[in-house]
Amino acid sequence: MKVAKIIPIYKSKSKTDFGNYRPISLLPSVSKILEKIVHSRLYKYCEMQNILSPNQFGFRPKHSTTDAIANFYSHLINSRANNLSTLAVFLDLSKAFDTIDHNILITKLDFYGIRGIALEWFRNYLANRKQFVCYSNIHSGLQGMRCGVPQGSVLGPLLFILYINDLPNVLTHSKCILFADDTTIYISSNDLKYLRYSVEHDLDALSDWFCANKLSLNISKTNFLLFRSKHVSKNSDIANLVMAGESMERVECTKFLGIYIDDKLEWGCHIDHIAKKISSGCYVIRTAKHILSYITSITALYILIYHMAILFGDRPINIVSIN
């Protein structure tokens, strides 16, 4: 019940580069049944005790990326209506699920009131786990797992959000939105100097928190956006931010929980991205139209295109031109 079978799935580019494969972890079905029971009880306990941060939108029933995006977007709109600028930093954690320290996780579970036999169960659940790789029907030897929550498990995501549950507590000035390991901090003001000072102060606190919790930030993929108020002087600006002695990139558009958001809130970036995806889907269907029935083509349309096309509103897809 503690042995995982790892199957590498090719993603793109060179097949000889191990970094271009995604490891998929397969666990025994019996272990997942047991985990589902424990997950149900643990989550009910967290809800009863109001343990989970309201800033966390990931891996929770009745919470989704839509809720997180609406929360953030509403803040931006309200700030702009009040003539405030907003500085937002989009943090990228490196392999967060795989670097969870088991001892720290057990300490946090104890802090949240999971003690006695229940805590010993979780300690045993995490200890002495093993995995092996299977590729082309060839198996590697067993290797121990010294850190991280089990990939492909039922309990893993809940244990992870409990692990980072106290992250918002270190922020003095900024607000944050968490979706699993996707972390965004933001603050609004009419003073750009105050924005920069406040965010860099909180970034330093976050850097200390990451070190204490043995998590690492991928600074090269971390960036920030400045949503300027119309009343801010054009001579005032924030060219860069510094975290732990490293400078992060300012961008005009970035990906946030599946959508592309730009610093003018005009959605041009996102529409271009969706248009390219729709164009690719149309090409696939048009190329295969000679071997597909009309019904199959319509099914492919809904799978590849329709759920994206509805974002255009008054520019619907012409089904006849595709078929």
Side-chain angles (χ1 to χ4, degrees), residues 85 127 172 183 201 273 288 323:
S85 297
T172 306
T183 305
H201 179 275
H273 173 72
N323 225 26

Side-chain angles (χ1 to χ4, degrees), residues 26-43:
L26 303 178
L27 294 170
S29 299
V30 175
S31 69
K32 290 190 175 184
I33 295 171
L34 175 60
E35 285 186 49
K36 195 166 185 178
I37 296 169
V38 177
H39 180 282
S40 175
R41 296 184 180 183
L42 178 59
Y43 190 81

Side-chain angles (χ1 to χ4, degrees), residues 61-267:
K62 300 179 182 179
H63 292 71
S64 67
T65 54
T66 304
D67 297 317
I69 292 167
N71 185 296
F72 182 54
Y73 192 69
S74 295
H75 177 88
L76 294 176
I77 295 298
N78 291 333
S79 297
R80 179 163 289 188
N82 292 313
N83 298 322
L84 301 176
S85 297
T86 301
L87 182 59
V89 182
F90 303 86
L91 303 166
D92 185 86
L93 295 176
S94 299
K95 299 181 179 179
F97 281 74
D98 299 328
T99 55
I100 295 297
D101 184 275
H102 293 168
N103 291 328
I104 295 176
L105 176 56
I106 291 297
T107 300
K108 292 191 177 191
L109 291 177
D110 180 78
F111 174 79
Y112 291 130
I114 301 161
R115 302 183 182 119
I117 294 175
L119 187 64
E120 289 305 310
W121 188 93
F122 282 106
R123 195 191 305 274
N124 186 281
Y125 169 79
L126 294 167
N128 301 318
R129 301 192 74 92
K130 298 186 183 298
Q131 61 184 6
F132 67 94
V133 177
C134 178
Y135 184 73
S136 296
N137 293 322
I138 299 175
H139 295 180
S140 72
L142 287 174
Q143 294 289 331
M145 298 171 60
R146 293 176 293 177
C147 61
V149 292
Q151 285 191 33
S153 64
V154 177
L155 271 172
L158 179 55
L159 292 176
F160 178 81
I161 64 174
L162 282 170
Y163 190 87
I164 65 168
N165 192 56
D166 58 321
L167 183 151
N169 298 339
V170 305
L171 301 175
T172 306
H173 307 283
S174 309
K175 297 180 179 180
C176 75
I177 288 178
L178 301 171
F179 193 90
D181 59 333
D182 287 323
T183 305
T184 303
I185 70 168
Y186 58 96
I187 184 172
S188 298
S189 173
N190 56 8
D191 184 348
L192 294 191
K193 290 184 179 178
Y194 171 77
L195 285 181
R196 178 168 188 160
Y197 164 79
S198 301
V199 168
E200 287 192 337
H201 179 275
D202 284 346
L203 286 174
D204 287 339
L206 277 176
S207 179
D208 293 339
W209 186 90
F210 289 143
C211 288
N213 288 275
K214 299 186 178 180
L215 295 174
S216 57
L217 184 71
N218 188 344
I219 199 72
S220 65
K221 291 186 178 179
T222 295
N223 52 52
F224 71 95
L225 282 173
L226 176 61
F227 303 90
R228 295 168 63 97
S229 163
K230 294 179 181 178
H231 297 273
V232 172
S233 170
K234 292 184 179 179
N235 296 325
S236 301
D237 203 2
I238 300 176
N240 71 310
L241 291 175
V242 177
M243 180 178 185
E246 293 190 71
S247 180
M248 63 181 64
E249 180 186 10
R250 177 180 171 180
V251 295
E252 295 180 354
C253 177
T254 193
K255 193 173 184 180
F256 173 63
L257 300 180
I259 69 166
Y260 285 85
I261 188 168
D262 60 60
D263 55 7
K264 295 181 179 61
L265 296 180
E266 292 178 348
W267 299 102

Side-chain angles (χ1 to χ4, degrees), residues 274-315:
I274 296 297
K276 288 178 182 177
K277 282 203 164 189
I278 289 175
S279 177
S280 298
C282 288
Y283 175 77
V284 170
I285 296 174
R286 191 177 294 113
T287 302
K289 67 180 181 180
H290 300 294
I291 59 173
L292 298 179
S293 67
Y294 180 79
I295 297 300
T296 305
S297 296
I298 294 298
T299 303
L301 167 71
Y302 278 90
I303 293 172
L304 297 173
I305 298 172
Y306 186 75
H307 70 287
M308 294 183 289
I310 57 174
L311 297 177
F312 283 100
D314 60 348
R315 283 182 275 180

